[in-house]
Amino acid sequence: MSGELKSGHAGLDEVREKIAAAAREAGRDGSDVALVAVSKTFEADVISTVLDAGHRLFGENRVQEAQRKWPALKDSYPGAELHLIGPLQTNKVRDALALFDCIETVDRPKLARVLAKECAAGGYEPKLFIQVNTGAEPQKAGVLPEDADAFIALCRDELGLRICGLMCIPPFDEEPSLHFALLEKIAKRNGLKELSMGMSGDYDVAVAFGATAVRVGTAIFGSRPTPVAI
Ligand SMILES: *Cc1c(COP(=O)(O)O)cnc(C)c1O
C-alpha cells in the first residue's frame, strides 16, 4: 500500500504505528489497512508536508475544493491517489470522475445510474464504495441498512459498476463498534471485501472490526482551520 517507505511526519508516523498495533492485536497485517489521509480544508502547502513524507493516498469531501487543490498536487507528486468521501451531486459526477480515483459515497439509485452512464461515456473505471447510513440518521447520506442488499445488486448486476466495498460514518454520539460490525455483516453477505470505516477518534476500533481502509484527518493534520459538517 501507499508509503511504508519513509516518513518523518509526526502525525502520519503516529497514525501508522497505531494502525499497525491495532492490526497486530487483531491478528491482522497492518499493510492490509489503507490509510486515507483526509486533507479537506487544508491548503496545498500543508498537504505537501504529508506527500513529502512519502504518503500518496488522500481523501477530500468536496469536489470543488478538490478541483482547486489537487490537479497541481497530482502533477507534482506522481502516484497520488484521491478518494471522494463526501456526498456527490449528480451534476458533479463528470468532474468527480475526472479527478478522483475512488468514490466512496455511492448511496442512491439516481447517482448510481448517472455514474454508470458517465463511466461508460468517459471510459472511467473508478473504484467505488457504497455508503451505508448504519445509524439511519435522517440528515446523513448513505443507503439504509435494510435497503443495502437491493442497492448493491442494482449497482453491480444491473449497472455493472465496480463496487469494491462499503463505507460508513457512525453517529457521532454512539459506540462505533456496533456500526462497524453491521457494515462488516452487510459486506460479507454480499461478497464485498473492502470496508472503509474509522476516523481519528476510532480507527483503531475499526481495524479490530475488519476495516481495510481508515479515513483519518485530524490525527494526521491537526485540527481543521474551519469546522465542517459531515
Ligand atoms: C472529515 C472526514 C473524516 C476524517 O475525520 P477526522 O475525525 O478528522 O479524522 C473521515 N471521513 C469522512 C467522511 C470525513 O468527512
Side-chain angles (χ1 to χ4, degrees):
M1 225 26 258
S2 39
E4 252 47 68
L5 316 163
K6 51 176 179 170
S7 181
H9 184 289
L12 185 60
D13 285 342
E14 198 174 306
V15 171
R16 282 180 178 170
E17 275 161 32
K18 201 163 144 187
I19 289 171
R24 245 189 335 268
E25 208 161 303
R28 304 183 59 204
D29 190 333
S31 64
D32 292 338
V33 183
L35 172 57
V36 179
V38 177
S39 51
K40 66 187 183 200
T41 75
F42 290 99
E43 292 303 325
D45 57 336
V46 177
I47 301 172
S48 294
T49 63
V50 177
L51 283 156
D52 286 334
H55 196 75
R56 287 293 177 272
L57 179 57
F58 291 82
E60 289 278 349
N61 72 331
R62 290 169 172 275
V63 175
Q64 262 172 319
E65 180 184 340
Q67 279 180 310
R68 182 168 61 70
K69 301 189 301 194
W70 276 95
L73 285 170
K74 279 192 160 190
D75 280 348
S76 306
Y77 296 92
E81 196 184 318
L82 199 56
H83 286 207
L84 179 63
I85 61 168
L88 178 57
Q89 304 305 316
T90 50
N91 63 359
K92 295 266 170 58
V93 164
R94 203 173 296 177
D95 289 342
L97 288 171
L99 184 61
F100 289 92
D101 305 283
C102 172
I103 294 169
E104 296 201 14
T105 49
V106 182
D107 68 348
R108 56 200 192 279
K110 185 181 175 202
L111 174 60
R113 289 183 197 285
V114 174
L115 272 168
K117 185 166 146 261
E118 293 295 341
C119 282
Y124 296 107
E125 283 187 12
K127 276 183 69 165
L128 299 172
F129 285 71
I130 287 173
Q131 181 176 355
V132 181
N133 186 355
T134 55
E137 295 173 278
Q139 82 286 5
K140 198 167 270 174
V143 64
L144 291 171
E146 62 264 35
D147 298 332
D149 294 359
F151 183 59
I152 293 165
L154 168 77
C155 290
R156 275 199 306 211
D157 306 338
E158 190 179 318
L159 300 174
L161 292 171
R162 180 159 72 113
I163 304 297
C164 302
L166 304 179
M167 177 270 216
C168 76
I169 309 170
F172 186 64
D173 54 354
E174 283 183 29
E175 169 58 40
S177 56
L178 303 172
H179 296 272
F180 298 154
L182 174 59
L183 197 70
E184 195 273 339
K185 191 171 107 182
I186 297 171
K188 191 168 186 190
R189 71 173 180 237
N190 285 282
L192 292 169
K193 298 256 180 309
E194 297 195 43
L195 294 170
S196 172
M197 56 192 199
M199 309 181 5
S200 289
D202 54 21
Y203 62 93
D204 51 339
V205 180
V207 169
F209 278 82
T212 61
V214 293
R215 309 176 309 269
V216 180
T218 313
I220 296 175
F221 289 97
S223 315
R224 280 182 280 278
T226 37
V228 282
I230 56 172

PDB file of all heavy atoms in Angstrom, residues 119-147:
ATOM      1  N   CYS A 119     -19.348   6.890 -16.629  1.00  0.00           N
ATOM      2  CA  CYS A 119     -18.189   5.991 -16.698  1.00  0.00           C
ATOM      3  C   CYS A 119     -18.080   5.421 -18.107  1.00  0.00           C
ATOM      4  O   CYS A 119     -16.985   5.363 -18.681  1.00  0.00           O
ATOM      5  CB  CYS A 119     -18.311   4.847 -15.689  1.00  0.00           C
ATOM      6  SG  CYS A 119     -17.919   5.330 -14.003  1.00  0.00           S
ATOM      7  N   ALA A 120     -19.218   4.993 -18.645  1.00  0.00           N
ATOM      8  CA  ALA A 120     -19.214   4.434 -19.993  1.00  0.00           C
ATOM      9  C   ALA A 120     -18.795   5.502 -21.002  1.00  0.00           C
ATOM     10  O   ALA A 120     -17.952   5.261 -21.874  1.00  0.00           O
ATOM     11  CB  ALA A 120     -20.595   3.881 -20.329  1.00  0.00           C
ATOM     12  N   ALA A 121     -19.355   6.699 -20.867  1.00  0.00           N
ATOM     13  CA  ALA A 121     -19.075   7.767 -21.829  1.00  0.00           C
ATOM     14  C   ALA A 121     -17.612   8.197 -21.795  1.00  0.00           C
ATOM     15  O   ALA A 121     -17.008   8.466 -22.836  1.00  0.00           O
ATOM     16  CB  ALA A 121     -19.987   8.966 -21.541  1.00  0.00           C
ATOM     17  N   GLY A 122     -17.034   8.242 -20.596  1.00  0.00           N
ATOM     18  CA  GLY A 122     -15.667   8.750 -20.480  1.00  0.00           C
ATOM     19  C   GLY A 122     -14.605   7.666 -20.386  1.00  0.00           C
ATOM     20  O   GLY A 122     -13.412   7.979 -20.288  1.00  0.00           O
ATOM     21  N   GLY A 123     -15.021   6.403 -20.376  1.00  0.00           N
ATOM     22  CA  GLY A 123     -14.062   5.311 -20.245  1.00  0.00           C
ATOM     23  C   GLY A 123     -13.433   5.235 -18.864  1.00  0.00           C
ATOM     24  O   GLY A 123     -12.306   4.777 -18.709  1.00  0.00           O
ATOM     25  N   TYR A 124     -14.164   5.667 -17.854  1.00  0.00           N
ATOM     26  CA  TYR A 124     -13.647   5.612 -16.471  1.00  0.00           C
ATOM     27  C   TYR A 124     -13.996   4.278 -15.817  1.00  0.00           C
ATOM     28  O   TYR A 124     -15.078   3.743 -16.037  1.00  0.00           O
ATOM     29  CB  TYR A 124     -14.253   6.733 -15.630  1.00  0.00           C
ATOM     30  CG  TYR A 124     -13.878   8.118 -16.069  1.00  0.00           C
ATOM     31  CD1 TYR A 124     -14.806   8.938 -16.709  1.00  0.00           C
ATOM     32  CD2 TYR A 124     -12.599   8.618 -15.838  1.00  0.00           C
ATOM     33  CE1 TYR A 124     -14.470  10.227 -17.114  1.00  0.00           C
ATOM     34  CE2 TYR A 124     -12.259   9.905 -16.238  1.00  0.00           C
ATOM     35  CZ  TYR A 124     -13.195  10.697 -16.874  1.00  0.00           C
ATOM     36  OH  TYR A 124     -12.869  11.962 -17.265  1.00  0.00           O
ATOM     37  N   GLU A 125     -13.069   3.775 -14.980  1.00  0.00           N
ATOM     38  CA  GLU A 125     -13.368   2.592 -14.167  1.00  0.00           C
ATOM     39  C   GLU A 125     -12.918   2.823 -12.731  1.00  0.00           C
ATOM     40  O   GLU A 125     -12.024   2.149 -12.223  1.00  0.00           O
ATOM     41  CB  GLU A 125     -12.656   1.349 -14.732  1.00  0.00           C
ATOM     42  CG  GLU A 125     -13.332   0.785 -15.956  1.00  0.00           C
ATOM     43  CD  GLU A 125     -12.719  -0.542 -16.394  1.00  0.00           C
ATOM     44  OE1 GLU A 125     -11.921  -1.128 -15.619  1.00  0.00           O
ATOM     45  OE2 GLU A 125     -13.025  -0.971 -17.501  1.00  0.00           O
ATOM     46  N   PRO A 126     -13.533   3.789 -12.067  1.00  0.00           N
ATOM     47  CA  PRO A 126     -13.093   4.103 -10.694  1.00  0.00           C
ATOM     48  C   PRO A 126     -13.463   2.974  -9.742  1.00  0.00           C
ATOM     49  O   PRO A 126     -14.393   2.212  -9.998  1.00  0.00           O
ATOM     50  CB  PRO A 126     -13.904   5.356 -10.358  1.00  0.00           C
ATOM     51  CG  PRO A 126     -15.166   5.189 -11.141  1.00  0.00           C
ATOM     52  CD  PRO A 126     -14.759   4.528 -12.430  1.00  0.00           C
ATOM     53  N   LYS A 127     -12.682   2.878  -8.657  1.00  0.00           N
ATOM     54  CA  LYS A 127     -13.113   2.045  -7.543  1.00  0.00           C
ATOM     55  C   LYS A 127     -14.306   2.733  -6.902  1.00  0.00           C
ATOM     56  O   LYS A 127     -14.319   3.948  -6.765  1.00  0.00           O
ATOM     57  CB  LYS A 127     -12.008   1.962  -6.489  1.00  0.00           C
ATOM     58  CG  LYS A 127     -10.955   0.924  -6.744  1.00  0.00           C
ATOM     59  CD  LYS A 127      -9.964   0.883  -5.589  1.00  0.00           C
ATOM     60  CE  LYS A 127     -10.614   0.333  -4.317  1.00  0.00           C
ATOM     61  NZ  LYS A 127      -9.604  -0.058  -3.301  1.00  0.00           N
ATOM     62  N   LEU A 128     -15.300   1.967  -6.504  1.00  0.00           N
ATOM     63  CA  LEU A 128     -16.488   2.551  -5.888  1.00  0.00           C
ATOM     64  C   LEU A 128     -16.826   1.833  -4.586  1.00  0.00           C
ATOM     65  O   LEU A 128     -16.696   0.611  -4.490  1.00  0.00           O
ATOM     66  CB  LEU A 128     -17.682   2.445  -6.848  1.00  0.00           C
ATOM     67  CG  LEU A 128     -17.540   3.158  -8.199  1.00  0.00           C
ATOM     68  CD1 LEU A 128     -18.706   2.792  -9.116  1.00  0.00           C
ATOM     69  CD2 LEU A 128     -17.463   4.671  -8.026  1.00  0.00           C
ATOM     70  N   PHE A 129     -17.249   2.622  -3.606  1.00  0.00           N
ATOM     71  CA  PHE A 129     -17.777   2.086  -2.358  1.00  0.00           C
ATOM     72  C   PHE A 129     -19.218   2.568  -2.228  1.00  0.00           C
ATOM     73  O   PHE A 129     -19.543   3.680  -2.657  1.00  0.00           O
ATOM     74  CB  PHE A 129     -17.008   2.622  -1.136  1.00  0.00           C
ATOM     75  CG  PHE A 129     -15.654   2.018  -0.924  1.00  0.00           C
ATOM     76  CD1 PHE A 129     -14.593   2.310  -1.769  1.00  0.00           C
ATOM     77  CD2 PHE A 129     -15.432   1.168   0.150  1.00  0.00           C
ATOM     78  CE1 PHE A 129     -13.340   1.762  -1.548  1.00  0.00           C
ATOM     79  CE2 PHE A 129     -14.177   0.612   0.382  1.00  0.00           C
ATOM     80  CZ  PHE A 129     -13.131   0.908  -0.466  1.00  0.00           C
ATOM     81  N   ILE A 130     -20.037   1.751  -1.614  1.00  0.00           N
ATOM     82  CA  ILE A 130     -21.397   2.174  -1.288  1.00  0.00           C
ATOM     83  C   ILE A 130     -21.420   2.641   0.161  1.00  0.00           C
ATOM     84  O   ILE A 130     -20.947   1.938   1.061  1.00  0.00           O
ATOM     85  CB  ILE A 130     -22.390   1.016  -1.525  1.00  0.00           C
ATOM     86  CG1 ILE A 130     -22.556   0.817  -3.038  1.00  0.00           C
ATOM     87  CG2 ILE A 130     -23.730   1.296  -0.849  1.00  0.00           C
ATOM     88  CD1 ILE A 130     -23.364  -0.390  -3.427  1.00  0.00           C
ATOM     89  N   GLN A 131     -21.939   3.853   0.358  1.00  0.00           N
ATOM     90  CA  GLN A 131     -22.049   4.386   1.720  1.00  0.00           C
ATOM     91  C   GLN A 131     -23.344   3.892   2.352  1.00  0.00           C
ATOM     92  O   GLN A 131     -24.427   4.026   1.778  1.00  0.00           O
ATOM     93  CB  GLN A 131     -22.028   5.920   1.699  1.00  0.00           C
ATOM     94  CG  GLN A 131     -22.113   6.519   3.103  1.00  0.00           C
ATOM     95  CD  GLN A 131     -21.999   8.040   3.114  1.00  0.00           C
ATOM     96  OE1 GLN A 131     -21.763   8.663   2.078  1.00  0.00           O
ATOM     97  NE2 GLN A 131     -22.175   8.627   4.282  1.00  0.00           N
ATOM     98  N   VAL A 132     -23.219   3.329   3.543  1.00  0.00           N
ATOM     99  CA  VAL A 132     -24.381   2.831   4.279  1.00  0.00           C
ATOM    100  C   VAL A 132     -24.609   3.722   5.501  1.00  0.00           C
ATOM    101  O   VAL A 132     -23.684   3.971   6.271  1.00  0.00           O
ATOM    102  CB  VAL A 132     -24.183   1.361   4.712  1.00  0.00           C
ATOM    103  CG1 VAL A 132     -25.424   0.857   5.446  1.00  0.00           C
ATOM    104  CG2 VAL A 132     -23.873   0.467   3.506  1.00  0.00           C
ATOM    105  N   ASN A 133     -25.825   4.186   5.648  1.00  0.00           N
ATOM    106  CA  ASN A 133     -26.213   5.038   6.782  1.00  0.00           C
ATOM    107  C   ASN A 133     -26.580   4.101   7.940  1.00  0.00           C
ATOM    108  O   ASN A 133     -27.748   3.880   8.231  1.00  0.00           O
ATOM    109  CB  ASN A 133     -27.382   5.922   6.346  1.00  0.00           C
ATOM    110  CG  ASN A 133     -27.779   6.955   7.386  1.00  0.00           C
ATOM    111  OD1 ASN A 133     -27.246   6.982   8.492  1.00  0.00           O
ATOM    112  ND2 ASN A 133     -28.731   7.803   7.032  1.00  0.00           N
ATOM    113  N   THR A 134     -25.541   3.551   8.591  1.00  0.00           N
ATOM    114  CA  THR A 134     -25.763   2.473   9.567  1.00  0.00           C
ATOM    115  C   THR A 134     -26.609   2.929  10.751  1.00  0.00           C
ATOM    116  O   THR A 134     -27.266   2.118  11.381  1.00  0.00           O
ATOM    117  CB  THR A 134     -24.423   1.928  10.094  1.00  0.00           C
ATOM    118  OG1 THR A 134     -23.669   3.021  10.629  1.00  0.00           O
ATOM    119  CG2 THR A 134     -23.632   1.229   8.991  1.00  0.00           C
ATOM    120  N   GLY A 135     -26.582   4.214  11.047  1.00  0.00           N
ATOM    121  CA  GLY A 135     -27.368   4.737  12.158  1.00  0.00           C
ATOM    122  C   GLY A 135     -28.730   5.252  11.735  1.00  0.00           C
ATOM    123  O   GLY A 135     -29.468   5.798  12.553  1.00  0.00           O
ATOM    124  N   ALA A 136     -29.054   5.090  10.432  1.00  0.00           N
ATOM    125  CA  ALA A 136     -30.332   5.594   9.895  1.00  0.00           C
ATOM    126  C   ALA A 136     -30.595   7.033  10.332  1.00  0.00           C
ATOM    127  O   ALA A 136     -31.707   7.376  10.727  1.00  0.00           O
ATOM    128  CB  ALA A 136     -31.497   4.677  10.300  1.00  0.00           C
ATOM    129  N   GLU A 137     -29.563   7.864  10.272  1.00  0.00           N
ATOM    130  CA  GLU A 137     -29.719   9.261  10.667  1.00  0.00           C
ATOM    131  C   GLU A 137     -30.320  10.050   9.502  1.00  0.00           C
ATOM    132  O   GLU A 137     -29.806  10.000   8.393  1.00  0.00           O
ATOM    133  CB  GLU A 137     -28.350   9.856  11.015  1.00  0.00           C
ATOM    134  CG  GLU A 137     -27.705   9.224  12.239  1.00  0.00           C
ATOM    135  CD  GLU A 137     -26.287   9.729  12.428  1.00  0.00           C
ATOM    136  OE1 GLU A 137     -25.377   9.200  11.760  1.00  0.00           O
ATOM    137  OE2 GLU A 137     -26.100  10.663  13.222  1.00  0.00           O
ATOM    138  N   PRO A 138     -31.411  10.783   9.761  1.00  0.00           N
ATOM    139  CA  PRO A 138     -32.107  11.477   8.673  1.00  0.00           C
ATOM    140  C   PRO A 138     -31.236  12.486   7.932  1.00  0.00           C
ATOM    141  O   PRO A 138     -31.381  12.667   6.727  1.00  0.00           O
ATOM    142  CB  PRO A 138     -33.281  12.171   9.369  1.00  0.00           C
ATOM    143  CG  PRO A 138     -33.084  11.998  10.822  1.00  0.00           C
ATOM    144  CD  PRO A 138     -32.076  10.938  11.057  1.00  0.00           C
ATOM    145  N   GLN A 139     -30.305  13.130   8.632  1.00  0.00           N
ATOM    146  CA  GLN A 139     -29.504  14.178   7.985  1.00  0.00           C
ATOM    147  C   GLN A 139     -28.287  13.612   7.268  1.00  0.00           C
ATOM    148  O   GLN A 139     -27.573  14.340   6.587  1.00  0.00           O
ATOM    149  CB  GLN A 139     -29.064  15.228   9.012  1.00  0.00           C
ATOM    150  CG  GLN A 139     -27.820  14.888   9.844  1.00  0.00           C
ATOM    151  CD  GLN A 139     -28.067  13.816  10.931  1.00  0.00           C
ATOM    152  OE1 GLN A 139     -29.135  13.244  11.022  1.00  0.00           O
ATOM    153  NE2 GLN A 139     -27.052  13.533  11.720  1.00  0.00           N
ATOM    154  N   LYS A 140     -28.030  12.325   7.417  1.00  0.00           N
ATOM    155  CA  LYS A 140     -26.788  11.767   6.885  1.00  0.00           C
ATOM    156  C   LYS A 140     -27.024  11.005   5.586  1.00  0.00           C
ATOM    157  O   LYS A 140     -28.052  10.342   5.421  1.00  0.00           O
ATOM    158  CB  LYS A 140     -26.150  10.847   7.930  1.00  0.00           C
ATOM    159  CG  LYS A 140     -24.671  10.576   7.663  1.00  0.00           C
ATOM    160  CD  LYS A 140     -23.991   9.928   8.852  1.00  0.00           C
ATOM    161  CE  LYS A 140     -23.415  10.964   9.812  1.00  0.00           C
ATOM    162  NZ  LYS A 140     -22.871  10.354  11.033  1.00  0.00           N
ATOM    163  N   ALA A 141     -26.038  11.099   4.693  1.00  0.00           N
ATOM    164  CA  ALA A 141     -26.123  10.383   3.426  1.00  0.00           C
ATOM    165  C   ALA A 141     -25.933   8.889   3.660  1.00  0.00           C
ATOM    166  O   ALA A 141     -25.517   8.452   4.729  1.00  0.00           O
ATOM    167  CB  ALA A 141     -25.051  10.909   2.474  1.00  0.00           C
ATOM    168  N   GLY A 142     -26.219   8.118   2.637  1.00  0.00           N
ATOM    169  CA  GLY A 142     -25.998   6.675   2.724  1.00  0.00           C
ATOM    170  C   GLY A 142     -27.293   5.910   2.550  1.00  0.00           C
ATOM    171  O   GLY A 142     -28.366   6.373   2.939  1.00  0.00           O
ATOM    172  N   VAL A 143     -27.195   4.717   1.980  1.00  0.00           N
ATOM    173  CA  VAL A 143     -28.361   3.861   1.814  1.00  0.00           C
ATOM    174  C   VAL A 143     -28.686   3.250   3.187  1.00  0.00           C
ATOM    175  O   VAL A 143     -27.783   2.997   3.987  1.00  0.00           O
ATOM    176  CB  VAL A 143     -28.070   2.771   0.742  1.00  0.00           C
ATOM    177  CG1 VAL A 143     -26.953   1.833   1.181  1.00  0.00           C
ATOM    178  CG2 VAL A 143     -29.314   1.977   0.401  1.00  0.00           C
ATOM    179  N   LEU A 144     -29.964   3.076   3.475  1.00  0.00           N
ATOM    180  CA  LEU A 144     -30.344   2.484   4.768  1.00  0.00           C
ATOM    181  C   LEU A 144     -29.936   1.013   4.797  1.00  0.00           C
ATOM    182  O   LEU A 144     -29.955   0.341   3.761  1.00  0.00           O
ATOM    183  CB  LEU A 144     -31.857   2.608   4.982  1.00  0.00           C
ATOM    184  CG  LEU A 144     -32.360   4.034   5.218  1.00  0.00           C
ATOM    185  CD1 LEU A 144     -33.889   4.081   5.201  1.00  0.00           C
ATOM    186  CD2 LEU A 144     -31.805   4.602   6.536  1.00  0.00           C
ATOM    187  N   PRO A 145     -29.576   0.510   5.980  1.00  0.00           N
ATOM    188  CA  PRO A 145     -29.135  -0.888   6.074  1.00  0.00           C
ATOM    189  C   PRO A 145     -30.109  -1.867   5.421  1.00  0.00           C
ATOM    190  O   PRO A 145     -29.690  -2.792   4.726  1.00  0.00           O
ATOM    191  CB  PRO A 145     -29.022  -1.132   7.585  1.00  0.00           C
ATOM    192  CG  PRO A 145     -28.726   0.209   8.158  1.00  0.00           C
ATOM    193  CD  PRO A 145     -29.473   1.197   7.296  1.00  0.00           C
ATOM    194  N   GLU A 146     -31.414  -1.644   5.623  1.00  0.00           N
ATOM    195  CA  GLU A 146     -32.383  -2.603   5.080  1.00  0.00           C
ATOM    196  C   GLU A 146     -32.507  -2.517   3.554  1.00  0.00           C
ATOM    197  O   GLU A 146     -33.048  -3.398   2.921  1.00  0.00           O
ATOM    198  CB  GLU A 146     -33.756  -2.443   5.748  1.00  0.00           C
ATOM    199  CG  GLU A 146     -34.420  -1.093   5.539  1.00  0.00           C
ATOM    200  CD  GLU A 146     -34.161  -0.134   6.707  1.00  0.00           C
ATOM    201  OE1 GLU A 146     -33.047  -0.174   7.303  1.00  0.00           O
ATOM    202  OE2 GLU A 146     -35.070   0.668   7.021  1.00  0.00           O
ATOM    203  N   ASP A 147     -32.026  -1.434   2.983  1.00  0.00           N
ATOM    204  CA  ASP A 147     -32.075  -1.298   1.517  1.00  0.00           C
ATOM    205  C   ASP A 147     -30.745  -1.634   0.850  1.00  0.00           C
ATOM    206  O   ASP A 147     -30.619  -1.571  -0.376  1.00  0.00           O
ATOM    207  CB  ASP A 147     -32.447   0.145   1.143  1.00  0.00           C
ATOM    208  CG  ASP A 147     -33.827   0.530   1.654  1.00  0.00           C
ATOM    209  OD1 ASP A 147     -34.670  -0.381   1.799  1.00  0.00           O
ATOM    210  OD2 ASP A 147     -34.052   1.728   1.915  1.00  0.00           O
TER     211      ASP A 147
END
